[in-house]
Amino acid sequence: MTAPHLAVETVDKLLTTRFAPSPTGRLHRGHAASAHAAWALARAAGGRFVLRIEDIDTTRCRPEFEAAILADLAWLGLDWDGPVWRQSQRGPVYREALDRLVAMGLAYPCFCTRADIAAAASAPHGPEGPLYPGTCRGLDPATSAARQAVEQPAWRLDVAGALARTGPLRWHDAHAGWQAADPLAGGDIVIARRDIGTAYALAVVVDDAAQGVTDVVRGVDLFAATHVQVLLQALLGLPTPRYHHHGLVLGADGKRLAKRDAGETLAALRAAGVAPAAVLAGLGPLTGR
Ligand code: GLU
């Protein structure tokens, strides 16, 4: 009578990678590199490669870009397993994760504007700009409740409090080795934006777990973001995947590619008659930083 249990275990451990683009523009060679590396890792292991459209930011995402992503992946010959997930359809799941963090006393409402944060004279700076100075962390409950009655707050993670709860954490990167998680370096990040009710870090950890992702393959530009994602996984009781942060594909000018580099998009390469195999071959081996 152990067979069903064993079957679940086997499925749970199936190596699963994902490609998780945001439909805010056309895919370029850098996306092709990431998607191909994730796909190849899964296919070599007889595992699964899943696709997730990260379209929570309704102010920037457009359906035509999503359609173009699917077409570009098909053109590259990268097939995915199972249905395409769309984060825009999963709001209640992210809300539930936020509610749990609030109930643990580790998320707090924040009413600060960007200008408030930039103006805080003592605001220390992290890699992504000014770190949140913690203005709303100690807001008394009565003031907070009164403000919430009239305005929608953002929600921030009390990172120091969360770390005190979990203790030291570590994660593994295939290129850089074991890392001691250092989420404090990013400050009290927003885990739910006031306009969309969630945020990248929260949605990404919830979905990586829900899709059974065992191996996250993505660019090294997201290396620093991993520290707090690992913290969120520990708080929510979710497994921490293995990470594979690869170097970024650079343009002819030596700079990293951006969605605005029209000439580097897969659409432009296809229109210029470049074969998909040539695009993939031209990416070279992907290594760490
Ligand atoms: N959606 C993110 C992007 O397009 C990638 C998220 C991730 O790989 O964790 O940059």
Side-chain angles (χ1 to χ4, degrees):
M1 290 303 288
T2 53
H5 178 69
L6 283 177
V8 169
E9 288 271 290
T10 311
V11 169
D12 277 352
K13 288 186 183 141
L14 198 62
L15 187 144
T16 301
T17 63
R18 46 72 158 182
F19 182 51
S22 301
T24 54
R26 297 302 303 255
L27 298 186
H28 53 57
R29 290 194 306 124
H31 296 108
S34 239
H36 180 256
W39 174 88
L41 185 66
R43 292 290 173 253
R48 290 191 308 143
F49 171 65
V50 298
L51 179 59
R52 180 169 75 236
I53 302 295
E54 299 209 325
D55 57 353
I56 51 171
D57 188 347
T58 44
T59 60
R60 295 173 60 226
C61 296
R62 302 223 307 259
E64 60 269 34
F65 289 136
E66 181 191 317
I69 288 169
L70 304 187
D72 285 343
L73 291 177
W75 178 69
L76 286 171
L78 306 182
D79 56 336
W80 59 89
D81 298 303
V84 178
W85 282 37
R86 289 181 189 81
Q87 291 192 323
S88 56
Q89 296 170 353
R90 292 176 46 76
V93 185
Y94 309 137
R95 179 73 219 184
E96 193 195 311
L98 174 66
D99 288 347
R100 284 177 58 197
L101 296 169
V102 173
M104 292 161 90
L106 298 175
Y108 60 89
C110 173
F111 303 91
C112 296
T113 61
R114 269 176 211 275
D116 291 335
I117 297 165
S122 60
H125 279 61
E128 309 288 338
L131 283 188
Y132 182 63
T135 320
C136 291
R137 194 188 304 125
L139 215 57
D140 71 272
T143 310
S144 177
R147 290 196 68 170
Q148 282 186 65
V150 291
E151 90 186 85
Q152 184 73 22
W155 289 85
R156 289 183 181 273
L157 184 66
D158 173 2
V159 173
L163 260 183
R165 170 84 61 113
T166 63
L169 300 168
R170 60 181 199 151
W171 55 278
H172 191 263
D173 181 85
H175 304 291
W178 282 104
Q179 306 292 314
D182 180 21
L184 286 168
D188 284 357
I189 60 152
V190 170
I191 50 175
R193 277 170 43 173
R194 70 183 80 209
D195 56 345
I196 57 179
T198 187
Y200 161 65
L202 187 61
V204 82
V205 300
V206 166
D207 285 351
D208 280 341
Q211 287 188 289
V213 173
T214 60
D215 291 77
V216 170
V217 179
R218 61 187 179 190
V220 75
D221 51 333
L222 287 167
F223 192 97
T226 309
H227 296 294
V228 79
Q229 292 177 19
V230 169
L231 176 61
L232 286 167
Q233 287 153 2
L235 294 171
L236 295 169
L238 305 174
T240 291
R242 293 178 287 262
Y243 289 90
H244 307 245
H245 290 100
H246 58 72
L248 302 179
V249 174
L250 304 179
D253 57 1
K255 296 206 181 111
R256 60 178 282 199
L257 300 178
K259 282 184 175 148
R260 61 182 171 276
D261 295 329
E264 295 278 11
T265 63
L266 300 179
L269 295 170
R270 177 168 21 168
V274 181
V279 173
L280 296 176
L283 298 169
L286 283 180
T287 56
R289 294 192 264 199

